[in-house]
Amino acid sequence: MNYFTISSIAEASFTEKRSEFICRIAPVKTSGEAIEFINLVKSEHRKAKHNVYAYILRNDNISRYSDDGEPQGTAGVPVLDVLRKRGLTDICAVVTRYFGGILLGGGGLVRAYSHAVSIACEKADIMNMCQCHLLRITTDYNMYGKVSYILPSYDTIVTDSVFEGEVVIEILVLNEKLSALVKKITEITNGMAIIEDKGEMFRDFSAVRKGEFL
């Protein structure tokens, strides 16, 4: 099962009725990493009235949020909801608010915090993390052209190529296309190619699965 996350920290801000909202989002793998990121943002914005946060972790399906002094349900939950609706995980969002002196009301706060996270997500590099296998293919130069020609048809990602006595290619192939690709390579090389499965993993396939993330 694939999942979506971000590759690096992203930030966006806007002003609503003189209150400045600054959202920073970061990729995290554990609660410890999320808390460390939250504390980092808080230390950089000590003078801010609120540092609202939410994070979602894939392992153990963990999610946490905090309103940080805002009325209950108007800040942390909207931040969390945006992350969920965008299908993101292994992510932490912190929205800093510098109060401008004008009350926004419950509905206004929900909209403001939601918008802050949304515009930060739009600036982020979204990764489509898919279950795949790393294959090492060893073949001679005569067969290399045939092998390389068919790889794009199976949505593979070439991670390494070595041209010495023989050609060695390392590729990532999606789980659901693994068997078909191995069969095809065996067929076109008359069984002469050596195919080694180096294991299963999650890797970013956003470059070959465009349009899947909405």
Side-chain angles (χ1 to χ4, degrees):
M1 186 71 177
N2 68 316
Y3 66 93
F4 296 97
T5 188
I6 61 175
S7 64
S8 58
I9 292 174
E11 183 175 307
S13 64
F14 77 103
T15 301
E16 178 71 17
K17 294 183 179 178
R18 296 196 298 205
S19 281
E20 184 182 13
F21 292 84
I22 306 166
C23 179
R24 192 183 300 179
I25 55 177
V28 294
K29 291 287 189 180
T30 65
S31 293
E33 289 182 5
I35 292 168
E36 183 178 356
F37 176 67
I38 293 162
N39 289 335
L40 172 65
V41 175
K42 285 183 175 181
S43 69
E44 293 178 1
H45 295 284
R46 295 183 187 276
K47 295 183 179 180
K49 191 170 181 64
H50 307 283
N51 282 288
V52 170
Y53 70 79
Y55 62 88
I56 302 174
L57 303 176
R58 191 169 59 92
N59 286 341
D60 299 323
N61 195 28
I62 293 172
S63 61
R64 300 284 187 273
Y65 67 89
S66 170
D67 293 313
D68 195 32
E70 294 282 28
Q72 185 176 0
T74 64
V77 170
V79 171
L80 185 65
D81 282 348
V82 171
L83 299 179
R84 282 177 171 164
K85 287 175 181 177
R86 286 179 172 261
L88 296 170
T89 190
D90 284 350
I91 187 171
C92 181
V94 183
V95 183
T96 300
R97 181 190 181 191
Y98 285 93
F99 184 53
I102 300 175
L103 296 176
L104 300 183
L109 287 173
V110 170
R111 288 189 294 273
Y113 279 103
S114 298
H115 181 64
V117 183
S118 293
I119 60 177
C121 289
E122 288 167 6
K123 285 194 171 184
D125 178 21
I126 305 296
M127 298 193 299
N128 187 347
M129 304 297 288
C130 299
Q131 282 183 302
C132 61
H133 282 252
L134 176 64
L135 296 186
R136 179 178 293 164
I137 304 165
T138 304
T139 186
D140 60 32
Y141 282 82
N142 291 331
M143 295 295 178
Y144 168 68
K146 292 182 178 181
V147 173
S148 61
Y149 178 77
I150 61 105
L151 293 180
S153 300
Y154 292 84
D155 293 338
T156 59
I157 298 174
V158 178
T159 61
D160 193 22
S161 298
V162 178
F163 299 89
E164 293 180 344
E166 295 180 297
V167 181
V168 180
I169 317 166
E170 288 194 348
I171 65 169
L172 296 171
V173 57
L174 296 165
N175 281 13
E176 60 265 30
K177 299 192 176 184
L178 175 63
S179 296
L181 176 61
V182 170
K183 181 179 179 181
K184 185 66 175 179
I185 292 174
T186 301
E187 177 186 306
I188 64 176
T189 64
N190 297 316
M192 299 300 291
I194 299 172
I195 305 172
E196 301 172 82
D197 191 334
K198 308 304 288 186
E200 187 178 31
M201 60 199 70
F202 277 95
R203 287 294 184 270
D204 179 21
F205 270 74
S206 54
V208 293
R209 303 188 79 168
K210 294 177 181 178
E212 190 170 309
F213 178 75
L214 297 177

